Amino acid sequence: QVQFVESGGGLKQPGGSLRLACAASGSAFRTLTVAWYRQAPGKQRELVATRTPSGTTDYSNSVRGRFTIARDNAKNTAYLQMNALKPDDTTVYYCDANPPSNHWGQGTQVTVST
């Protein structure tokens, strides 16, 4: 049983950067694949990035080359480094396992606008 709390969102101009953090509780954190999701208005929840316990990563086509997922098992924390932000990145971001538990929290809002 792992719970997640997201933070680090905010307002940025196009081309800017943000680093999101996901604080996890539970001893199983290091054994699961951690993932970042986002859900824009009128769209289904999108799987953005994943990282396995062995370090294998995968990204959606829309963020590949711009976003990087990382984890720090000592801190029970996952991160999403977002560079070259675009207005289309604007939405609420969530962290969870993959496959997800579907116990979604509040997420953290990212807004990219001029």
Side-chain angles (χ1 to χ4, degrees):
Q1 299 181 11
V2 180
Q3 294 177 296
F4 304 93
V5 179
E6 303 92 343
S7 63
L11 174 63
K12 289 290 184 179
Q13 295 185 2
S17 297
L18 278 173
R19 189 178 75 156
L20 308 184
C22 173
S25 62
S27 61
F29 174 76
R30 64 181 181 178
T31 71
L32 54 80
T33 293
V34 68
W36 285 93
Y37 302 81
R38 66 186 182 185
Q39 187 169 24
K43 294 186 176 181
Q44 294 182 331
R45 197 180 305 272
E46 176 188 8
L47 180 60
V48 176
T50 62
R51 189 179 184 95
T52 70
S54 63
T56 301
T57 60
D58 197 15
Y59 300 90
S60 68
N61 290 335
S62 61
V63 309
R64 186 175 292 108
R66 300 188 298 118
F67 291 9
T68 303
I69 185 171
R71 70 194 300 161
D72 186 340
N73 288 334
K75 297 182 180 295
N76 258 28
T77 302
Y79 303 92
L80 185 68
Q81 178 67 47
M82 305 186 296
N83 299 324
L85 285 165
K86 303 176 179 180
D88 286 349
D89 297 322
T90 296
T91 190
V92 179
Y93 286 73
Y94 306 87
C95 60
D96 201 348
N98 182 237
S101 70
N102 290 319
H103 291 99
W104 304 104
Q106 294 297 307
T108 186
Q109 174 72 47
V110 172
T111 303
V112 184
S113 176
T114 57

